[in-house]
Amino acid sequence: MTQLSILLAGSPNSGKSTLFNTLTGSKQKVANYPGVTVEKKTGRFTTPKGKEVEVLDLPGIYSLTPYSLDEEIAHKRLTNPQKDLVVAVTDATHLERSLAFVLEIKQLKKPIVLVLNMSDLAYNKRILIDVAKLQESLGVPVVQTNATHSKGVEDLVRAIDQLDLEQHQQKADSTEVKKLSPEQRFQKVDTILAKCIKKPTNAEVVSQKIDRVLLHPILGGLFFAVFIFGIFQAIFTFAEAPMNLIESSVAFVGEFVRNFIPDGFVQSFIVDGIIAGVGAVLVFLPQILILFFFIFLMESTGYMARAAFIMDKMMSLIGLQGRAFVPLLSSFACAIPGIMATRTIKNPKERLTTILIAPLMTCSARLPVYILLIGAFIPNTKIWGFINIQGLVMAGLFVFAIITAIIVAFVMRKTTLKGRKSSFIMELPAYKIPNMRHLFLNLWHRTKNFIKKAGGFIMWVSITLWFLSTFPQPPQDWDQPAINYSIAGRVGHFIEPVFEPLGFDWRISTGLIPGFAAREVMVSALATVFALDDTLGEEQQTKTLTEKLQSTWSLGTGLALLVWYIFAPQCLATFVVAKKETGGWKWPIFMFTYMFALAYIGAFITYQVVQMF
Amino acid sequence: MTDKLKKLTDYKVGSCCEVVDYVDDKNTEEDIMAVQKIREFGFVKGAKVTIQHIAPFGSDPIAAEVRGSLIALRRIDAERIYVKDCPQKT
């Protein structure tokens, strides 16, 4: 059982990841490189001869010169004296560029196998490659593959099997390789290409034709807007049914358990603690799945690069770059998948800034609270004859949040997260038909990861919050709402003075505690606090709740709570995901702090100003 | 001599030009790295470049074809490249 370590190196568009997937199948693991937020993908497979191979999929890079974190990591690993085999993956249809990279890798003194990936595409484009001559010119074994089919990878596995690593290592050690400048490298590449490859003059016609529309100054922008709007709508609408299904399934299971276990702590613990906690995690799945489906689709077809190209200027005005657009837009549906989507941003500071402002995008969970408060405190009248004030305020909340996010990003990039704007040079790869099987495989891995990492934590905190809101239970003769007797209730009363300047009473400060778990929980928390009869239907509850709010709170309090909600860090899952994506608690805590500060100041100003009239 | 040369950003969509040199009046590390990166993406001296697209907002970035690939770069980087007209095919 010989162990072999393989490093998969190549550019982002070489089909390297597909090759990795085909080689390792389900036997892969995604972690983070220690201390940084770059993904480390490892996997394993066994060759027919019984060799156990461990594969490390290095970040996709164009050259070894470390301009970015990705390149630094790849460079570090490739210069590590460990005995590895480097499998250099290239796009056979674009060897003008990838061979230059291979020449760079040759300097590293590790044995190399050159993979000409997408060789089926090259064949279709009538690109003829003399593999033997190429092997001779480069001095390394060359294998043609089509990574999308396992058959297409058999040759590679066979070649790896038959490789005498010792011999190749010796050869690599003894070969003198000069460090070449880019010009010299490309010159050498051109010489080799002239000998080994015959390429018809215009091999890229289809892609160019598509770009004539998709990158057209007007049509392209239009297509982009429609496409992005479509994604946004899809997340909003297609997730709704599954989310309702998940919620009612959770409720169903809860009811089922209620019938078996008698009333009491155990029942409450299982139903309101565990089952509700699990539900709180699962309910995000539909949105995550939909968003990532579209992101993977955009990446694998090559459209993502075009999207980043179109949006880059607007994003760079606030210190971000084109790729920040998709995560931020998705955050309007839910910041959880939005923050996860920031992985496509390579520059760590830009990625952090994007993660920090993502929760400011008015997410769908805020809507129930907005609707409740606007319904209770904003008059349902029209101004100028046709503009409904309630709708206007709703739109205003959205806009206000976006403007704040822009300011926060701008400030962050000029201060704490100040950094040079990453040189935005990027290849716009030729369009490709995506491999749907691999797309869903990736989707599966991403979801599994989410449930494992974020799920556990969220569930435990939900259980804790349930505990705090339920215990201790009030005695029989307690005539106030039950929650007042619990720990959460007592804490709520205790911290009331802190929120007094905002016009918040004990009900709000108590409701904020379970409401910390998720924004929409605030509505049911308020219902509990106002001791509403929970056998009433949701609609009836909202009506009654609205009336109670109007009679108990002043306009100032209502509006202050509304403003609080624009900024307040009231989504536990956001922080858990932010912790996972930033590799520590430092930034989630910072996020919590600045959002809390914005919420407090905003609500304070609102309340005080309204009170003056 | 160099101030007679045009920059990549002076060319319109569809036009072809050839890389001649790089702007080096600034010498910060950032500028040196930027030029190095530009070269590694294929914009080496003598390379033929065809401007293919310009982004809708603010005409930035631009997409140019070089060495068989379509590369997007911001104006701030494209401005570092001195070019001349492509030699006419006879």
Side-chain angles (χ1 to χ4, degrees):
Chain A
M1 228 181 24
T2 30
Q3 271 267 2
L4 176 62
S5 161
I6 287 187
L7 302 178
L8 270 189
S11 76
N13 305 305
S14 54
K16 186 168 60 71
S17 309
T18 317
L19 182 64
F20 178 75
N21 280 338
T22 311
L23 281 173
T24 59
S26 51
K27 304 205 195 84
Q28 32 173 292
K29 218 172 42 151
V30 178
N32 273 356
Y33 283 94
V36 293
T37 56
V38 179
E39 272 186 359
K40 182 176 181 177
K41 277 176 90 170
T42 50
R44 48 185 55 201
F45 69 95
T46 317
T47 67
K49 278 203 189 151
K51 285 193 189 151
E52 285 223 350
V53 183
E54 169 134 349
V55 187
L56 171 57
D57 186 13
L58 292 173
I61 53 176
Y62 285 101
S63 74
L64 288 178
T65 321
Y67 302 108
S68 66
L69 195 55
D70 273 1
E71 278 149 355
E72 260 177 62
I73 288 181
H75 179 96
K76 210 159 116 183
R77 186 63 184 81
L78 284 166
T79 47
N80 188 312
Q82 207 175 309
K83 279 207 188 320
D84 318 283
L85 171 66
V86 177
V87 173
V89 185
T90 60
D91 177 0
T93 61
H94 275 107
L95 285 174
E96 296 93 337
R97 170 169 322 285
S98 13
L99 274 191
F101 181 51
V102 175
L103 289 179
E104 258 197 289
I105 300 184
K106 275 190 81 179
Q107 291 166 211
L108 299 173
K109 305 264 189 215
K110 281 195 202 285
I112 304 175
V113 169
L114 172 57
V115 169
L116 301 176
N117 203 7
M118 307 191 212
S119 44
D120 51 332
L121 274 178
Y123 179 77
N124 290 341
K125 294 193 183 203
R126 295 189 229 287
I127 300 175
L128 302 167
I129 306 177
D130 189 334
V131 175
K133 273 222 183 101
L134 192 56
Q135 261 182 199
E136 197 191 306
S137 309
L138 289 173
V140 300
V142 176
V143 181
Q144 285 178 300
T145 63
N146 168 10
T148 52
H149 298 121
S150 24
K151 256 196 135 275
V153 168
E154 271 175 13
D155 288 335
L156 174 62
V157 177
R158 216 175 302 134
I160 293 174
D161 234 347
Q162 296 172 336
L163 208 59
D164 181 348
L165 205 63
E166 283 300 320
Q167 189 191 63
H168 280 266
Q169 182 72 60
Q170 276 176 3
K171 184 166 172 220
D173 283 334
S174 61
T175 322
E176 250 323 300
V177 189
K178 276 188 310 183
K179 193 157 163 55
L180 302 169
S181 72
E183 283 78 9
Q184 291 170 312
R185 252 179 271 144
F186 283 124
Q187 223 166 26
K188 214 167 167 208
V189 168
D190 285 338
T191 325
I192 297 176
L193 288 181
K195 268 196 290 186
C196 312
I197 309 218
K198 275 198 196 11
K199 196 174 182 178
T201 36
N202 209 353
E204 225 53 81
V205 187
V206 176
S207 230
Q208 285 175 345
K209 284 200 177 136
I210 300 179
D211 271 335
R212 218 158 284 164
V213 177
L214 296 189
L215 283 184
H216 186 271
I218 300 176
L219 288 179
L222 208 63
F223 176 86
F224 178 71
V226 170
F227 185 72
I228 294 298
F229 181 71
I231 295 180
F232 186 44
Q233 274 295 332
I235 298 179
F236 238 129
T237 26
F238 294 158
E240 201 179 325
M243 279 168 88
N244 288 339
L245 183 65
I246 291 177
E247 278 171 355
S248 41
S249 305
V250 169
F252 179 78
V253 174
E255 271 312 303
F256 188 75
V257 171
R258 273 210 182 96
N259 288 334
F260 271 91
I261 302 183
D263 277 1
F265 298 157
V266 179
Q267 188 210 71
S268 189
F269 173 67
I270 295 181
V271 176
D272 301 318
I274 296 184
I275 296 181
V278 169
V281 176
L282 292 182
V283 82
F284 289 115
L285 276 188
Q287 287 174 329
I288 292 178
L289 282 175
I290 296 176
L291 173 65
F292 273 94
F293 171 77
F294 280 109
I295 288 185
F296 289 151
L297 193 67
M298 285 170 83
E299 290 272 7
S300 53
T301 49
Y303 186 67
M304 181 65 93
R306 272 91 183 159
F309 178 76
I310 294 175
M311 287 307 295
D312 184 63
K313 184 67 182 178
M314 291 223 281
M315 293 282 114
S316 68
L317 289 177
I318 52 175
L320 300 175
Q321 41 119 309
R323 284 180 172 251
F325 187 69
V326 175
L328 286 179
L329 186 80
S330 336
S331 300
F332 275 100
C334 176
I336 310 302
I339 292 178
M340 286 164 74
T342 57
R343 280 165 198 235
T344 52
I345 304 173
K346 299 296 182 179
N347 182 315
K349 293 200 173 140
E350 286 175 2
R351 182 167 175 226
L352 253 176
T353 312
T354 313
I355 291 178
L356 286 176
I357 64 174
L360 285 179
M361 307 292 122
T362 309
C363 71
S364 47
R366 286 181 172 92
L367 295 183
V369 181
Y370 282 178
I371 292 172
L372 177 70
L373 292 174
I374 290 180
F377 294 101
I378 307 289
N380 193 2
T381 49
K382 292 192 176 28
I383 54 169
W384 301 334
F386 64 98
I387 303 179
N388 185 312
I389 296 194
Q390 290 186 334
L392 198 63
V393 171
M394 182 73 105
L397 293 174
F398 269 81
V399 172
F400 189 38
I402 296 176
I403 294 178
T404 315
I406 291 177
I407 296 176
V408 172
F410 191 74
V411 169
M412 296 262 27
R413 285 290 280 158
K414 291 277 184 204
T415 55
T416 333
L417 287 180
K418 183 175 183 167
R420 56 178 164 86
K421 288 190 181 177
S422 54
S423 221
F424 181 85
I425 302 186
M426 161 181 86
E427 184 184 0
L428 297 175
Y431 288 102
K432 277 200 288 282
I433 300 179
N435 180 327
M436 295 310 276
R437 213 183 110 237
H438 283 268
L439 202 150
F440 285 112
L441 185 68
N442 279 329
L443 210 54
W444 166 242
H445 278 281
R446 187 53 47 98
T447 330
K448 220 170 59 166
N449 245 312
F450 168 71
I451 296 183
K452 257 201 289 192
K453 301 292 176 65
F457 190 87
I458 293 178
M459 199 180 91
W460 280 113
V461 179
S462 298
I463 293 179
T464 312
L465 288 175
W466 161 83
F467 185 82
L468 293 176
S469 315
T470 321
F471 292 101
Q473 299 250 296
Q476 289 287 47
D477 57 346
W478 191 254
D479 57 350
Q480 297 173 33
I483 195 170
N484 271 3
Y485 205 82
S486 68
I487 300 178
R490 291 170 203 244
V491 171
H493 277 270
F494 185 70
I495 61 176
E496 193 187 349
V498 172
F499 294 103
E500 235 181 85
L502 314 183
F504 290 179
D505 64 1
W506 63 270
R507 293 183 189 83
I508 300 181
S509 45
T510 307
L512 286 182
I513 296 176
F516 173 67
R519 297 200 163 87
E520 64 270 25
V521 168
M522 186 63 166
V523 177
S524 52
L526 285 178
T528 316
V529 164
F530 277 98
L532 289 187
D533 186 353
D534 59 357
T535 61
L536 290 175
E538 196 180 311
E539 209 188 299
Q540 186 61 353
Q541 271 203 357
T542 315
K543 240 201 273 180
T544 331
L545 193 52
T546 313
E547 285 158 17
K548 290 221 174 173
L549 294 184
Q550 284 169 332
S551 58
T552 324
W553 293 338
S554 67
L555 179 67
T557 305
L559 292 182
L561 187 56
L562 205 54
V563 173
W564 168 270
Y565 239 76
I566 302 177
F567 305 115
Q570 285 192 248
C571 179
L572 176 66
T574 316
F575 299 104
V576 173
V577 172
K579 180 244 176 189
K580 177 171 176 272
E581 297 295 319
T582 58
W585 284 109
K586 171 175 162 200
W587 289 107
I589 291 178
F590 176 80
M591 190 197 283
F592 184 93
T593 316
Y594 98 79
M595 288 178 79
F596 189 93
L598 278 179
Y600 196 91
I601 296 172
F604 177 75
I605 295 177
T606 312
Y607 182 68
Q608 298 297 340
V609 165
V610 175
Q611 286 299 90
M612 287 201 275
F613 293 97
Chain B
M1 171 71 187
T2 34
D3 44 15
K4 289 248 182 77
L5 284 176
K6 297 194 243 184
K7 295 193 181 155
L8 188 60
T9 42
D10 295 326
Y11 279 76
K12 299 242 177 330
V13 171
S15 56
C16 169
C17 50
E18 188 179 305
V19 178
V20 177
D21 205 343
Y22 311 100
V23 173
D24 65 352
D25 51 355
K26 308 178 209 133
N27 271 319
T28 68
E29 191 185 319
E30 185 182 315
D31 296 304
I32 297 176
M33 293 277 267
V35 171
Q36 166 88 353
K37 193 167 184 188
I38 290 170
R39 286 158 63 212
E40 284 185 353
F41 263 87
F43 294 95
V44 290
K45 298 187 189 179
K48 305 265 186 309
V49 179
T50 313
I51 315 266
Q52 296 282 9
H53 303 279
I54 299 188
F57 302 117
S59 304
D60 200 1
I62 64 175
E65 190 182 316
V66 63
R67 293 190 64 83
S69 302
L70 190 58
I71 307 292
L73 63 168
R74 287 181 174 157
R75 279 184 177 264
I76 188 175
D77 289 314
E79 274 166 359
R80 301 181 196 269
I81 310 175
Y82 282 127
V83 293
K84 68 176 191 209
D85 292 337
C86 274
Q88 293 296 337
K89 287 201 171 77
T90 40

